[in-house]
Amino acid sequence: MVSEMSNADGGAAASFQHTFKYLLATQFLSRGIPFIFNSWIVRHLSEEDYAIYAVQFHLFVTCVLFLSREGFRRACMRADINCDGASATGSNAAKLLKVAWMSFPLGVLVTFAACLFVFWWQDLSYSSPYAQAILINGFACVLELLAEPFYILSQNLVLLRLRLVVETVATFSRCIVTYILILKLPSLEKSIVFGLSQAAYGGSIFLGYWGYFFLFRAYKTSVMFPFRIGSILSYDGPLANMCMLFTLQSFRKLILQEGEKMVLVWMDTPYNQAVYGLVDKLGSLVVRMIFLPFEESSYLTFARSASGDQKGRKNLGRSLTDALKLVLLIGLVVIAFGPSYSYSLIRLLYGSKWSDGEASTALRYYCLYVIVLAMNGTSEAFLHAVATENQLKQSNDSLLIFSVIYLVLNVLLIRSAGAIGLILANSLNMIFRIIYSAVFIRKFFKGSSFSFRGCMPAGYEFLLVSGVATFILERIYLDRDNFWATFLVHFSFGLCCFVASAFVIYQKERPFISKIIRFREHAD
């Protein structure tokens, strides 16, 4: 299987369809497995424990890893360095790894600072279970960061199947460790359980990437670990500067991406944290499983088109149009049917304990947030892929302004609307960022045939009408006390509306949808 991995994925010029296929499979397994597992764990945890699991520890790990590696990932994927082919054992791989390894000492410093901050902020003693769990999470982050240089190299080599296998195994490890510890050691503090499960995930990532490159890739030790004094001093200066530029930008992006959780942990109750964590994990499933791999593959395609042999802005514009049209189509489906079935979905997955509270209302608002999140991801991927260094600096300045506005909105809206207020603040923030990216895209394609109107899927009006119809039916017919009988009628009506809308859109967008269906054929 490993030789197949190398042969199938080794081409540095892999097509967008090939990239998207594997990234979609990776997200489906790495997000779909936890989603199924989350349905079980929610029923076995208190609101306070679930808040720790879904919000507090998630925020800690995300902050550490995002600040440590995001800038290096963006810059190294954007760089025009081909590590495959004749140079696979030589200068190009070493050139990339010299810079990629810089992410590790930065990550250790960020991890140490994050642990100290949590200890100071919550006035923790080293003997408390929560403090011990924070240290375990920090160790898990260090394990992941040790694998980061080889992750970056694997992405450059387009070893997408390797990523699929490693992340799937790591996700299984985390879920299995959590399941065993909760069932077999019920007296063990839940915070320790969550920390150990994260360490299992980080250890699997570390072993997966190190094992592959040590056992199945013919790289010299001096290439994989370019730590000699002379070797370190001869690093790629422009690439390192680009990494620092993206890393500085990641501080601002982190506030925009996780600012609501920061405010939530700082200002709100564990119950509201648990509600938001539940809705975020459920509502963002589409985002993480479909939009995120689409954003990553789009960024890779845009970056290579911009840094390599360009076929012209017309082809680049066509790629952007197709990417935006697909995420808009999926987002419109979520908007049309999500609000009408939010209560039913939470009732089916987690029980009336959660559905009869604020969670179902919050999920309705989250459905509206999904489409702006999708549009922002793809438009910003294009901006970051093709922008010059000066344009990226301007983008950094705009992110700083958006960060301040976003934090103010979070503080104001969480006091008046709780978890729903955070979702509204997120939506407004994404709209501001979409406008900024749209202005850049319009200037970039000035004088070309690119148009944002071409990004709207034909027949979307039928989806919106179906959404209104199902929402009205839910309000006047669905009975919480007689849930199953009324739900079956409500679900059947929605299914008919979806099939009718899908048929109309397919007739109007047949060439585009046929292209999407042929993704696998093109990739293979």
Side-chain angles (χ1 to χ4, degrees):
M1 180 184 127
V2 177
S3 61
E4 181 188 351
M5 220 183 260
S6 303
N7 296 331
D9 299 330
S15 65
F16 171 82
Q17 293 90 347
H18 176 79
T19 306
F20 177 69
K21 181 183 75 170
Y22 279 106
L23 289 177
L24 179 62
T26 301
Q27 290 299 321
F28 179 79
L29 291 172
S30 64
R31 305 296 180 181
I33 294 169
F35 169 71
I36 297 170
F37 175 73
N38 194 55
S39 302
W40 174 82
I41 198 173
V42 166
R43 299 173 183 265
H44 290 78
L45 296 177
S46 65
E47 288 86 348
E48 291 77 9
D49 287 335
Y50 189 73
I52 294 174
Y53 168 75
V55 177
Q56 297 173 23
F57 285 177
H58 170 81
L59 180 63
F60 176 84
V61 172
T62 300
C63 288
V64 169
L65 294 179
F66 193 85
L67 294 177
S68 302
R69 69 190 186 187
E70 180 66 15
F72 288 85
R73 288 186 173 186
R74 286 284 183 181
C76 291
M77 289 301 98
R78 176 188 170 106
D80 189 17
I81 301 176
N82 181 12
C83 298
D84 204 8
S87 64
T89 59
S91 59
N92 278 1
K95 182 180 180 181
L96 184 70
L97 286 171
K98 285 175 188 176
V99 177
W101 270 110
M102 295 179 184
S103 63
F104 180 68
L106 173 64
V108 172
L109 289 175
V110 172
T111 304
F112 182 72
C115 291
L116 284 182
F117 175 77
V118 174
F119 273 64
W120 167 79
W121 178 50
Q122 298 199 11
D123 193 22
L124 298 174
S125 65
Y126 290 100
S127 59
S128 72
Y130 193 94
Q132 294 169 7
I134 287 293
L135 294 176
I136 296 172
N137 275 288
F139 174 69
C141 292
V142 171
L143 287 175
E144 280 199 63
L145 291 168
L146 276 171
E148 187 61 24
F150 298 136
Y151 168 87
I152 290 174
L153 180 59
S154 72
Q155 290 295 99
N156 185 280
L157 294 169
V158 202
L159 297 173
L160 302 175
R161 195 174 300 177
L162 171 65
R163 178 179 173 183
L164 172 64
V165 172
V166 171
E167 293 192 10
T168 302
V169 171
T171 302
F172 264 118
S173 301
R174 179 168 54 192
C175 293
I176 290 172
V177 168
T178 306
Y179 179 81
I180 292 174
L181 292 178
I182 287 179
L183 284 187
K184 301 299 182 181
L185 297 173
S187 60
L188 186 63
E189 289 287 338
K190 296 301 185 291
S191 57
I192 299 293
V193 171
F194 304 145
L196 291 173
S197 66
Q198 187 63 34
Y201 181 88
S204 299
I205 295 290
F206 168 76
L207 292 174
Y209 283 106
W210 278 56
Y212 177 80
F213 282 100
F214 267 96
L215 297 175
F216 306 112
R217 277 280 170 173
Y219 285 104
K220 295 180 180 179
T221 305
S222 59
V223 172
M224 296 176 66
F225 303 101
F227 299 143
R228 291 180 298 176
I229 300 295
S231 177
I232 293 176
L233 294 178
S234 63
Y235 66 88
D236 187 332
L239 178 58
N241 291 336
M242 187 63 71
C243 289
M244 291 301 104
L245 179 63
F246 275 112
T247 298
L248 291 174
Q249 186 185 72
S250 69
F251 279 84
R252 298 166 188 176
K253 285 192 70 176
L254 179 66
I255 296 176
L256 293 170
Q257 179 176 306
E258 301 293 340
E260 80 279 4
K261 293 188 180 72
M262 298 176 187
V263 174
L264 192 64
V265 171
W266 174 37
M267 299 185 63
D268 217 337
T269 63
Y271 174 77
N272 278 342
Q273 292 176 31
V275 167
Y276 185 84
L278 183 79
V279 170
D280 183 58
K281 284 187 176 294
L282 181 58
S284 63
L285 190 65
V286 173
V287 177
R288 291 168 179 162
M289 287 179 58
I290 300 178
F291 294 151
L292 184 59
F294 206 89
E295 177 186 339
E296 290 186 32
S297 52
S298 297
Y299 176 82
L300 191 61
T301 301
F302 298 148
R304 291 188 173 182
S305 298
S307 61
D309 296 329
Q310 294 189 5
K311 295 181 179 179
R313 294 194 174 186
K314 183 177 180 180
N315 290 336
L316 202 56
R318 188 180 299 114
S319 298
L320 178 61
T321 299
D322 288 346
L324 285 173
K325 181 178 288 188
L326 181 59
V327 297
L328 276 171
L329 181 59
I330 299 171
L332 286 168
V333 171
V334 175
I335 281 184
F337 298 101
S340 305
Y341 293 92
S342 295
Y343 173 84
S344 301
L345 184 60
I346 294 180
R347 177 75 176 263
L348 292 171
L349 291 175
Y350 309 123
S352 57
K353 169 188 172 182
W354 293 94
S355 63
D356 292 342
E358 190 181 350
S360 56
T361 303
L363 184 59
R364 289 191 181 98
Y365 283 90
Y366 202 99
C367 293
L368 304 177
Y369 168 58
V370 164
I371 191 168
V372 293
L373 190 65
M375 292 171 61
N376 175 72
T378 303
S379 59
E380 279 195 348
F382 181 85
L383 188 155
H384 293 154
V386 305
T388 64
E389 187 170 341
N390 287 333
Q391 289 171 332
L392 287 173
K393 290 179 179 178
Q394 294 174 3
S395 175
N396 285 347
D397 295 335
S398 70
L399 284 177
L400 178 60
I401 297 173
F402 295 151
S403 300
V404 174
I405 297 173
Y406 176 55
L407 288 178
V408 172
L409 286 172
N410 270 319
V411 172
L412 294 177
L413 291 175
I414 195 174
R415 289 176 174 173
S416 59
I420 295 173
L422 291 180
I423 296 171
L424 293 176
N426 267 326
S427 300
L428 291 172
N429 163 50
M430 289 298 164
I431 290 172
F432 293 147
R433 291 166 65 180
I434 289 169
I435 292 172
Y436 183 89
S437 299
V439 171
F440 172 84
I441 292 170
R442 184 174 292 277
K443 290 181 180 179
F444 184 86
F445 288 110
K446 187 176 182 180
S448 71
S449 60
F450 176 82
S451 172
F452 283 110
R453 290 184 179 180
C455 301
M456 285 299 295
Y460 71 92
E461 301 91 348
F462 290 88
L463 275 175
L464 299 181
V465 171
S466 297
V468 172
T470 53
F471 187 77
I472 292 174
L473 181 66
E474 184 201 29
R475 289 297 181 183
I476 64 176
Y477 183 76
L478 188 65
D479 186 356
R480 297 185 179 186
D481 296 326
N482 188 23
F483 174 73
W484 286 106
T486 55
F487 167 72
L488 291 175
V489 174
H490 179 47
F491 176 78
S492 300
F493 179 76
L495 182 62
C496 292
C497 289
F498 174 78
V499 171
S501 301
F503 177 78
V504 171
I505 293 174
Y506 177 76
Q507 293 298 318
K508 292 178 176 290
E509 290 282 3
R510 182 174 295 182
F512 171 72
I513 295 176
S514 298
K515 185 193 302 184
I516 301 300
I517 294 173
R518 290 197 304 269
F519 267 9
R520 182 178 179 85
E521 297 174 15
H522 285 294
D524 295 338

